[in-house]
Amino acid sequence: THAARLVRESGWDLINIDATLIAEQPKIMIKALEIRASIAELVGLDVSRVSIKATTNEQLGALGRSEGIAAFAVATVRQTP
């Protein structure tokens, strides 16, 4: 919500969000629709404009040992007319 507010206050509109979660556990995709809906509501987008993907770290490193979860997100924005 903070980032979405900053984007809008700077004269831009959010178009969509694409997020990837990296985790061995829990299995994210069983909750993907719920996560998408939550993000969409928080930033004021239609749920169809929010994408969630999940992958594992193939048991490598701290993420692979289930010691943490990583997330990456990209948002498409356009300048408000």
Side-chain angles (χ1 to χ4, degrees):
T1 56
H2 178 70
R5 183 172 28 83
L6 290 175
V7 166
R8 290 186 175 107
E9 287 174 356
S10 297
W12 295 80
D13 290 324
L14 282 172
I15 303 303
N16 64 25
I17 295 174
D18 181 36
T20 302
L21 303 171
I22 304 171
E24 299 295 321
Q25 292 292 329
K27 297 301 178 193
I28 302 295
M29 292 311 291
I30 60 174
K31 296 282 191 175
L33 183 55
E34 185 178 332
I35 295 167
R36 288 176 57 216
S38 179
I39 292 171
E41 182 179 340
L42 289 168
V43 300
L45 287 176
D46 186 272
V47 70
S48 67
R49 295 189 172 271
V50 178
S51 171
I52 297 291
K53 297 184 293 294
T55 188
T56 66
N57 213 41
E58 301 297 327
Q59 299 180 338
L60 298 174
L63 296 176
R65 292 188 300 271
S66 298
E67 295 174 1
I69 295 174
F72 301 92
V74 176
T76 303
V77 298
R78 72 171 167 219
Q79 198 163 22
T80 304

